[in-house]
Coordinates of all heavy atoms in Angstrom, one line a residue:
M22 N -19.0 21.7 84.9 CA -18.0 21.2 84.0 C -16.6 20.9 84.7 O -16.2 21.7 85.5 CB -17.7 22.3 82.9 CG -16.8 21.9 81.7 SD -16.7 23.0 80.4 CE -18.3 23.5 79.9
N23 N -16.3 19.6 84.5 CA -15.0 19.3 85.3 C -13.7 19.8 84.5 O -13.8 20.4 83.4 CB -14.9 17.7 85.6 CG -14.8 17.0 84.2 OD1 -14.2 17.4 83.2 ND2 -15.3 15.7 84.2
V24 N -12.6 19.6 85.2 CA -11.3 20.1 84.6 C -11.0 19.5 83.2 O -10.7 20.4 82.3 CB -10.1 19.8 85.5 CG1 -8.8 20.1 84.9 CG2 -10.3 20.5 86.9
Q25 N -11.2 18.3 83.0 CA -11.0 17.6 81.6 C -11.9 18.4 80.6 O -11.6 18.6 79.5 CB -11.2 16.3 81.7 CG -10.1 15.5 82.3 CD -10.1 14.0 82.5 OE1 -11.0 13.5 83.2 NE2 -9.2 13.3 81.7
E26 N -13.3 18.5 80.9 CA -14.1 19.1 80.0 C -13.8 20.6 79.6 O -13.8 21.0 78.5 CB -15.5 19.1 80.5 CG -16.1 17.7 80.6 CD -17.3 17.6 81.4 OE1 -17.6 18.5 82.2 OE2 -18.1 16.5 81.3
R27 N -13.3 21.2 80.7 CA -12.9 22.7 80.5 C -11.6 22.9 79.6 O -11.6 23.7 78.7 CB -12.7 23.4 81.8 CG -14.1 23.6 82.5 CD -14.0 23.9 84.1 NE -13.4 25.2 84.3 CZ -13.0 25.7 85.6 NH1 -13.3 24.7 86.6 NH2 -12.6 26.8 85.8
V28 N -10.7 21.9 79.8 CA -9.5 21.9 79.0 C -9.8 21.5 77.7 O -9.3 22.2 76.7 CB -8.5 20.9 79.6 CG1 -7.2 20.8 78.7 CG2 -7.9 21.4 81.1
R29 N -10.6 20.5 77.5 CA -11.0 20.0 76.0 C -11.7 21.2 75.3 O -11.3 21.5 74.1 CB -11.9 18.9 76.1 CG -12.2 18.4 74.7 CD -13.0 17.0 74.7 NE -12.4 15.9 75.3 CZ -12.6 15.5 76.6 NH1 -13.5 16.1 77.4 NH2 -12.0 14.4 77.1
Q30 N -12.6 21.9 76.0 CA -13.3 22.9 75.3 C -12.3 24.1 75.0 O -12.5 24.8 73.9 CB -14.4 23.4 76.3 CG -15.2 24.7 75.8 CD -16.3 25.2 76.8 OE1 -15.9 25.4 78.0 NE2 -17.4 25.3 76.4
F31 N -11.4 24.4 75.9 CA -10.4 25.6 75.5 C -9.6 25.1 74.2 O -9.5 25.9 73.5 CB -9.5 25.6 76.7 CG -8.4 26.6 76.5 CD1 -8.6 27.9 76.4 CD2 -7.0 26.1 76.1 CE1 -7.5 28.9 76.1 CE2 -6.1 27.0 75.8 CZ -6.3 28.3 75.8
I32 N -9.2 23.9 74.3 CA -8.4 23.4 73.1 C -9.2 23.4 71.8 O -8.8 24.1 70.8 CB -7.9 21.9 73.3 CG1 -6.9 21.8 74.5 CG2 -7.2 21.4 72.1 CD1 -5.6 22.6 74.5
I33 N -10.5 23.0 71.8 CA -11.3 23.0 70.7 C -11.6 24.5 70.2 O -11.7 24.8 69.0 CB -12.7 22.2 70.8 CG1 -12.3 20.8 71.1 CG2 -13.6 22.5 69.9 CD1 -13.4 19.9 71.5
Q34 N -11.8 25.3 71.1 CA -12.2 26.7 70.9 C -11.0 27.5 70.4 O -11.1 28.5 69.7 CB -12.8 27.4 72.0 CG -14.2 26.9 72.3 CD -14.8 27.6 73.5 OE1 -14.2 28.1 74.5 NE2 -16.2 27.4 73.7
N35 N -9.8 27.2 70.8 CA -8.6 28.2 70.6 C -7.6 27.5 69.6 O -6.6 28.2 69.1 CB -7.9 28.4 71.9 CG -8.9 29.2 72.7 OD1 -8.8 30.6 72.5 ND2 -9.4 28.7 73.6
F36 N -7.8 26.2 69.2 CA -6.8 25.7 68.3 C -7.7 24.8 67.2 O -8.8 24.6 67.3 CB -5.9 24.7 69.0 CG -5.0 25.3 70.0 CD1 -5.5 25.3 71.4 CD2 -3.9 26.0 69.7 CE1 -4.8 26.0 72.4 CE2 -3.2 26.6 70.7 CZ -3.5 26.5 72.0
Y37 N -7.0 24.7 66.1 CA -7.8 23.9 64.9 C -7.9 22.6 65.2 O -6.9 21.7 65.3 CB -7.0 24.2 63.6 CG -7.8 23.5 62.6 CD1 -8.9 24.0 62.1 CD2 -7.3 22.2 61.9 CE1 -9.7 23.3 61.0 CE2 -7.9 21.7 60.8 CZ -9.0 22.1 60.4 OH -9.7 21.5 59.5
V38 N -9.1 22.1 65.5 CA -9.5 20.7 65.9 C -10.6 20.4 64.8 O -11.7 20.6 65.0 CB -9.8 20.6 67.3 CG1 -10.2 19.0 67.5 CG2 -8.9 21.0 68.3
S39 N -10.1 19.7 63.6 CA -11.1 19.5 62.6 C -12.2 18.4 63.1 O -13.4 18.6 62.7 CB -10.4 19.0 61.3 OG -9.7 17.8 61.7
D40 N -11.8 17.5 63.8 CA -12.8 16.5 64.4 C -12.6 16.4 65.9 O -11.7 15.6 66.3 CB -12.5 15.2 63.7 CG -13.6 14.2 64.1 OD1 -14.5 14.3 65.0 OD2 -13.4 13.0 63.6
P41 N -13.6 17.1 66.6 CA -13.4 17.1 68.1 C -13.3 15.7 68.8 O -12.9 15.4 69.9 CB -14.6 18.0 68.6 CG -14.7 18.9 67.4 CD -14.4 18.1 66.2
S42 N -14.0 14.8 68.1 CA -14.1 13.4 68.6 C -12.8 12.8 68.7 O -12.5 11.7 69.3 CB -15.1 12.5 67.7 OG -14.6 12.3 66.6
E43 N -11.8 13.2 67.9 CA -10.3 12.7 67.9 C -9.6 13.2 69.2 O -8.6 12.6 69.5 CB -9.6 13.0 66.6 CG -10.1 12.5 65.5 CD -9.3 12.7 64.2 OE1 -8.4 13.6 64.2 OE2 -9.8 12.3 63.1
L44 N -10.1 14.2 69.7 CA -9.5 14.7 70.9 C -9.8 14.0 72.2 O -10.7 14.5 73.0 CB -9.7 16.2 71.1 CG -8.9 17.0 72.2 CD1 -7.4 17.0 72.0 CD2 -9.4 18.5 72.2
T45 N -9.3 12.9 72.3 CA -9.7 12.0 73.4 C -8.9 12.6 74.7 O -7.9 13.3 74.5 CB -9.4 10.6 73.2 OG1 -7.9 10.5 73.0 CG2 -10.3 10.1 71.9
D46 N -9.2 12.1 75.9 CA -8.5 12.5 76.9 C -7.1 12.2 76.9 O -6.2 12.9 77.5 CB -9.1 11.9 78.2 CG -10.5 12.3 78.7 OD1 -10.8 13.4 78.1 OD2 -11.2 11.8 79.4
D47 N -6.7 11.1 76.3 CA -5.2 10.6 76.3 C -4.4 10.9 75.1 O -3.3 10.6 74.9 CB -5.2 9.1 76.7 CG -5.7 8.7 77.8 OD1 -5.3 9.4 78.9 OD2 -6.4 7.7 78.1
A48 N -5.2 11.6 74.1 CA -4.5 12.0 72.8 C -3.5 13.1 72.9 O -3.6 13.9 73.8 CB -5.5 12.5 72.0
S49 N -2.2 12.9 72.4 CA -1.1 13.8 72.5 C -1.6 15.1 71.8 O -1.8 15.1 70.6 CB 0.2 13.3 71.9 OG 1.1 14.3 71.9
L50 N -1.5 16.2 72.5 CA -1.9 17.5 72.0 C -0.9 18.0 71.0 O -1.2 18.5 69.9 CB -1.9 18.6 73.0 CG -3.1 18.2 74.1 CD1 -3.1 19.4 75.2 CD2 -4.4 18.2 73.4
I51 N 0.4 17.6 71.1 CA 1.5 18.0 70.3 C 1.5 16.9 69.1 O 1.6 17.3 68.0 CB 2.8 18.1 71.0 CG1 2.7 19.4 71.9 CG2 4.0 18.3 70.0 CD1 3.9 19.5 72.8
G52 N 1.5 15.6 69.5 CA 1.6 14.7 68.5 C 0.5 14.5 67.5 O 0.6 14.3 66.5
G53 N -0.8 15.0 68.1 CA -2.0 15.1 67.2 C -2.0 16.3 66.4 O -2.9 16.3 65.5
G54 N -1.0 17.2 66.5 CA -1.0 18.4 65.8 C -2.0 19.6 66.1 O -2.0 20.4 65.3
W55 N -2.6 19.4 67.3 CA -3.5 20.4 67.6 C -2.9 21.5 68.3 O -3.2 22.8 68.2 CB -4.5 19.9 68.7 CG -5.4 18.8 68.0 CD1 -6.3 19.0 67.1 CD2 -5.5 17.5 68.4 NE1 -6.8 17.9 66.8 CE2 -6.4 16.9 67.5 CE3 -4.8 16.6 69.4 CZ2 -6.7 15.5 67.6 CZ3 -5.1 15.3 69.4 CH2 -6.0 14.8 68.5
V56 N -1.7 21.4 69.1 CA -0.9 22.5 69.8 C 0.4 22.3 69.4 O 1.1 21.3 69.6 CB -1.3 22.3 71.3 CG1 -0.6 23.3 72.0 CG2 -2.7 22.2 71.6
D57 N 1.0 23.5 69.2 CA 2.5 23.5 68.9 C 3.2 24.1 70.1 O 2.5 24.5 71.2 CB 2.8 24.2 67.6 CG 2.4 25.6 67.5 OD1 1.9 26.3 68.7 OD2 2.4 26.2 66.4
S58 N 4.4 24.4 70.1 CA 5.1 24.9 71.2 C 4.7 26.2 71.5 O 4.6 26.4 72.8 CB 6.7 24.9 70.9 OG 7.0 25.7 69.8
T59 N 4.4 27.2 70.5 CA 3.8 28.4 71.0 C 2.4 28.3 71.5 O 2.2 29.0 72.6 CB 3.8 29.3 69.7 OG1 5.2 29.4 69.1 CG2 3.3 30.7 70.0
G60 N 1.7 27.3 71.0 CA 0.4 27.2 71.5 C 0.3 26.6 73.0 O -0.5 26.9 73.9
M61 N 1.4 25.9 73.3 CA 1.5 25.4 74.6 C 1.7 26.5 75.6 O 1.2 26.4 76.8 CB 2.8 24.4 74.7 CG 2.7 23.5 76.0 SD 1.3 22.6 76.3 CE 1.2 21.4 75.0
L62 N 2.2 27.6 75.3 CA 2.2 28.7 76.1 C 0.8 29.2 76.4 O 0.6 29.7 77.5 CB 3.1 29.9 75.6 CG 4.6 29.5 75.4 CD1 5.3 30.7 74.6 CD2 5.3 29.2 76.7
E63 N 0.0 29.3 75.4 CA -1.4 29.7 75.7 C -2.1 28.7 76.6 O -2.9 29.1 77.5 CB -2.1 29.7 74.3 CG -1.6 30.7 73.4 CD -2.4 30.6 71.9 OE1 -3.8 30.7 72.2 OE2 -1.9 30.5 71.0
V64 N -1.9 27.4 76.4 CA -2.5 26.3 77.3 C -2.0 26.6 78.7 O -2.8 26.7 79.7 CB -2.0 24.9 76.8 CG1 -2.4 23.8 77.9 CG2 -2.6 24.6 75.5
M65 N -0.7 26.8 79.0 CA -0.1 27.1 80.3 C -0.9 28.4 80.9 O -1.1 28.4 82.1 CB 1.3 27.3 80.3 CG 2.0 25.9 80.1 SD 3.8 26.0 80.1 CE 4.2 26.7 78.6
S66 N -0.9 29.4 80.2 CA -1.6 30.6 80.6 C -3.0 30.3 81.0 O -3.5 30.8 81.9 CB -1.5 31.7 79.5 OG -2.2 32.9 79.8
F67 N -3.8 29.6 80.1 CA -5.1 29.1 80.4 C -5.2 28.4 81.8 O -6.0 28.6 82.6 CB -5.7 28.3 79.3 CG -6.9 27.6 79.7 CD1 -8.1 28.2 79.6 CD2 -6.9 26.2 80.0 CE1 -9.4 27.6 80.1 CE2 -8.1 25.5 80.3 CZ -9.2 26.3 80.3
I68 N -4.3 27.5 82.1 CA -4.3 26.7 83.2 C -4.1 27.5 84.5 O -4.8 27.4 85.3 CB -3.1 25.6 83.1 CG1 -3.4 24.6 82.1 CG2 -2.9 25.0 84.5 CD1 -2.1 23.7 81.8
E69 N -3.1 28.5 84.4 CA -2.9 29.4 85.4 C -4.0 30.3 85.7 O -4.4 30.5 87.0 CB -1.6 30.2 85.1 CG -0.2 29.4 85.2 CD 0.9 30.1 84.9 OE1 0.9 31.3 84.6 OE2 2.0 29.6 85.3
T70 N -4.7 30.9 84.7 CA -5.8 31.8 84.8 C -6.9 31.1 85.2 O -7.8 31.5 86.3 CB -5.9 32.5 83.6 OG1 -4.8 33.2 83.1 CG2 -7.2 33.6 83.6
E71 N -7.3 30.0 84.6 CA -8.6 29.3 84.8 C -8.6 28.4 86.2 O -9.7 28.4 86.8 CB -8.9 28.4 83.7 CG -10.3 27.6 83.7 CD -11.4 28.4 83.3 OE1 -11.2 29.4 82.9 OE2 -12.5 28.0 83.7
F72 N -7.6 27.9 86.4 CA -7.6 26.9 87.7 C -6.7 27.6 88.9 O -6.7 27.0 89.9 CB -6.9 25.6 87.2 CG -7.8 25.0 86.2 CD1 -7.2 24.9 84.9 CD2 -9.2 24.6 86.3 CE1 -8.0 24.3 83.9 CE2 -9.8 24.1 85.3 CZ -9.3 23.9 84.0
G73 N -6.0 28.7 88.7 CA -5.4 29.3 89.7 C -4.1 28.6 90.2 O -3.8 28.6 91.4
V74 N -3.5 27.8 89.2 CA -2.2 27.1 89.6 C -1.2 27.7 88.8 O -1.3 28.0 87.7 CB -2.3 25.6 89.4 CG1 -3.5 25.0 90.4 CG2 -2.7 25.2 88.1
R75 N 0.0 27.6 89.4 CA 1.3 28.2 88.8 C 2.0 27.1 88.1 O 2.1 26.0 88.7 CB 2.1 28.9 89.7 CG 3.5 29.2 89.2 CD 3.7 30.7 89.2 NE 5.2 31.2 89.1 CZ 5.8 30.9 87.8 NH1 5.2 30.3 87.0 NH2 7.1 31.4 87.8
V76 N 2.4 27.2 86.8 CA 3.2 26.2 86.1 C 4.6 26.7 86.1 O 4.9 27.7 85.5 CB 2.6 26.1 84.6 CG1 3.6 24.9 83.9 CG2 1.2 25.7 84.6
A77 N 5.5 26.0 87.0 CA 6.8 26.4 87.1 C 7.6 25.9 85.8 O 7.2 25.0 85.1 CB 7.4 25.7 88.4
D78 N 8.7 26.5 85.6 CA 9.5 26.1 84.4 C 9.9 24.7 84.4 O 9.7 24.0 83.4 CB 10.9 26.9 84.3 CG 10.6 28.3 84.1 OD1 9.5 28.8 83.6 OD2 11.6 29.2 84.3
A79 N 10.2 24.0 85.5 CA 10.5 22.7 85.6 C 9.3 21.8 85.3 O 9.5 20.5 85.0 CB 11.2 22.3 86.9
E80 N 8.1 22.3 85.4 CA 6.9 21.4 85.3 C 6.4 21.7 83.9 O 5.3 20.9 83.5 CB 5.8 22.0 86.3 CG 6.1 21.8 87.6 CD 5.1 22.5 88.6 OE1 4.6 23.6 88.1 OE2 4.9 22.0 89.5
M81 N 7.1 22.3 82.9 CA 6.6 22.5 81.6 C 7.2 21.3 80.7 O 7.9 21.4 79.8 CB 7.2 23.8 81.0 CG 6.7 25.0 81.6 SD 7.3 26.4 80.9 CE 6.8 27.7 82.1
V82 N 6.6 20.1 81.0 CA 7.2 18.9 80.4 C 5.9 18.1 79.9 O 4.8 18.2 80.3 CB 8.0 18.0 81.3 CG1 9.2 18.7 81.7 CG2 7.2 17.6 82.6
P83 N 6.1 17.3 78.9 CA 5.0 16.5 78.4 C 4.3 15.7 79.4 O 3.1 15.4 79.3 CB 5.6 15.6 77.2 CG 6.9 16.3 76.9 CD 7.3 17.0 78.1
E84 N 4.9 15.2 80.3 CA 4.3 14.3 81.3 C 3.3 15.1 82.1 O 2.3 14.6 82.6 CB 5.4 13.9 82.5 CG 6.3 12.9 81.8 CD 7.4 13.5 81.0 OE1 7.7 14.6 81.2 OE2 8.1 12.8 80.2
N85 N 3.2 16.5 82.1 CA 2.3 17.3 82.9 C 1.3 17.9 81.7 O 0.1 18.2 82.2 CB 2.8 18.4 83.6 CG 3.6 17.9 84.7 OD1 3.3 16.9 85.3 ND2 4.6 18.6 85.1
L86 N 1.6 18.1 80.5 CA 0.8 19.0 79.7 C 0.5 18.4 78.2 O 0.0 19.3 77.5 CB 1.7 20.3 79.5 CG 2.0 21.0 80.9 CD1 2.9 22.2 80.5 CD2 0.8 21.6 81.5
D87 N 0.9 17.2 78.0 CA 0.7 16.7 76.6 C -0.6 16.1 76.3 O -0.9 15.7 75.1 CB 1.8 15.9 76.1 CG 1.8 15.6 74.7 OD1 1.4 16.6 73.9 OD2 2.1 14.4 74.2
S88 N -1.6 16.1 77.2 CA -3.0 15.5 76.9 C -3.9 16.1 77.8 O -3.6 16.7 78.9 CB -3.0 14.0 77.0 OG -2.9 13.6 78.4
V89 N -5.2 16.1 77.5 CA -6.2 16.6 78.4 C -6.2 15.9 79.7 O -6.3 16.5 80.8 CB -7.6 16.3 77.8 CG1 -8.8 16.7 78.6 CG2 -7.8 17.1 76.4
A90 N -6.0 14.6 79.8 CA -5.9 13.8 81.0 C -4.7 14.2 81.7 O -4.7 14.4 83.0 CB -5.9 12.3 80.7
K91 N -3.6 14.4 81.2 CA -2.3 14.8 81.9 C -2.5 16.2 82.5 O -2.0 16.5 83.7 CB -1.1 14.7 81.0 CG -0.7 13.3 80.7 CD 0.5 13.3 79.7 CE 0.8 11.8 79.4 NZ 1.9 11.8 78.6
I92 N -3.1 17.1 81.8 CA -3.3 18.5 82.3 C -4.3 18.4 83.5 O -4.0 19.1 84.6 CB -3.9 19.4 81.2 CG1 -2.8 19.6 80.1 CG2 -4.4 20.7 81.8 CD1 -3.3 20.3 78.9
A93 N -5.3 17.6 83.4 CA -6.3 17.5 84.5 C -5.5 16.9 85.7 O -5.8 17.4 86.7 CB -7.4 16.7 84.1
G94 N -4.7 15.9 85.6 CA -4.0 15.4 86.6 C -3.0 16.3 87.3 O -2.9 16.4 88.5
F95 N -2.4 17.1 86.4 CA -1.5 18.2 86.9 C -2.2 19.1 87.6 O -1.8 19.5 88.8 CB -0.7 18.8 85.7 CG 0.0 19.9 86.0 CD1 1.4 19.8 86.5 CD2 -0.3 21.3 85.7 CE1 2.1 20.8 86.9 CE2 0.5 22.3 86.1 CZ 1.8 22.1 86.6
V96 N -3.3 19.6 87.1 CA -4.1 20.6 87.9 C -4.6 20.1 89.2 O -4.6 20.8 90.3 CB -5.4 21.2 87.1 CG1 -6.3 22.0 87.9 CG2 -4.9 21.9 85.8
A97 N -5.0 18.9 89.2 CA -5.4 18.2 90.5 C -4.4 18.1 91.6 O -4.4 18.4 92.6 CB -6.0 16.8 90.2
K98 N -3.2 17.8 91.1 CA -1.9 17.6 91.9 C -1.6 19.0 92.4 O -1.3 19.1 93.6 CB -0.8 17.0 91.1 CG 0.4 16.8 91.9 CD 1.6 16.1 91.1 CE 2.0 16.9 89.9 NZ 3.0 16.3 89.2
K99 N -1.5 20.0 91.6 CA -1.1 21.4 92.0 C -2.3 21.9 93.1 O -1.9 22.5 93.9 CB -1.0 22.2 90.9 CG 0.2 21.9 90.0 CD 1.6 22.2 90.5 CE 1.7 23.7 90.5 NZ 3.1 24.1 90.8
S100 N -3.5 21.7 92.8 CA -4.6 22.1 93.6 C -4.6 21.6 95.0 O -4.7 22.2 95.9 CB -5.9 21.9 92.9 OG -6.0 22.6 91.7
A101 N -4.2 20.2 95.0 CA -4.1 19.5 96.3 C -3.0 19.9 97.1 O -3.0 20.2 98.3 CB -4.0 18.0 96.0
A102 N -1.8 20.3 96.4 CA -0.6 20.7 97.0 C -0.9 22.1 97.6 O -0.4 22.5 98.7 CB 0.7 20.8 96.1
R103 N -1.5 23.0 96.8 CA -1.9 24.3 97.3 C -2.8 24.3 98.5 O -2.7 25.1 99.5 CB -2.6 25.1 96.1 CG -2.9 26.5 96.5 CD -3.6 27.3 95.3 NE -4.8 26.5 95.1 CZ -5.4 26.7 93.9 NH1 -4.9 27.2 92.9 NH2 -6.7 26.0 93.8
G104 N -3.7 23.3 98.5 CA -4.7 23.2 99.6 C -4.0 22.8 100.9 O -4.3 23.0 102.0
A105 N -2.9 21.9 100.7 CA -2.2 21.4 101.8 C -1.2 22.5 102.3 O -0.7 22.3 103.5 CB -1.4 20.1 101.5
A106 N -0.9 23.5 101.6 CA 0.1 24.5 102.1 C -0.5 25.4 103.1 O -1.7 25.7 103.2 CB 0.6 25.2 100.9

């Protein structure tokens, strides 16, 4: 299972997603009503635990965390940076 599939599965299992087909890779998690600000803390904890990447305070922005695709890209970027360090 790739990063996007794992993130999507986490969202569906831990938040109310009435129709999983609506949770596309580019759908806004907050705009779609699936994840609120408190839920985003759960998402960040999942990212850190599941993928072993740290989410710094400055990285807690929609550009990194507001969709399945953005989360997958963020994880890939952080993993690559960790590998280069």
Side-chain angles (χ1 to χ4, degrees):
M22 188 179 303
N23 68 27
V24 173
Q25 286 178 291
E26 291 167 345
R27 289 162 72 188
V28 170
R29 185 178 297 101
Q30 181 181 44
F31 173 80
I32 299 296
I33 291 169
Q34 290 176 344
N35 292 279
F36 300 95
Y37 179 70
V38 180
S39 61
D40 182 0
S42 68
E43 292 179 1
L44 183 62
T45 62
D46 288 347
D47 295 317
S49 170
L50 298 176
I51 293 173
W55 296 296
V56 180
D57 60 14
S58 57
T59 304
M61 194 52 67
L62 296 174
E63 292 178 55
V64 171
M65 288 183 287
S66 177
F67 166 76
I68 292 167
E69 292 183 343
T70 302
E71 185 74 14
F72 304 110
V74 297
R75 170 118 167 68
V76 182
D78 291 346
E80 296 170 325
M81 295 178 195
V82 295
E84 291 78 18
N85 292 332
L86 304 170
D87 192 38
S88 72
V89 171
K91 288 179 181 181
I92 292 170
F95 175 72
V96 168
K98 179 175 65 175
K99 293 288 283 192
S100 295
R103 185 182 59 206

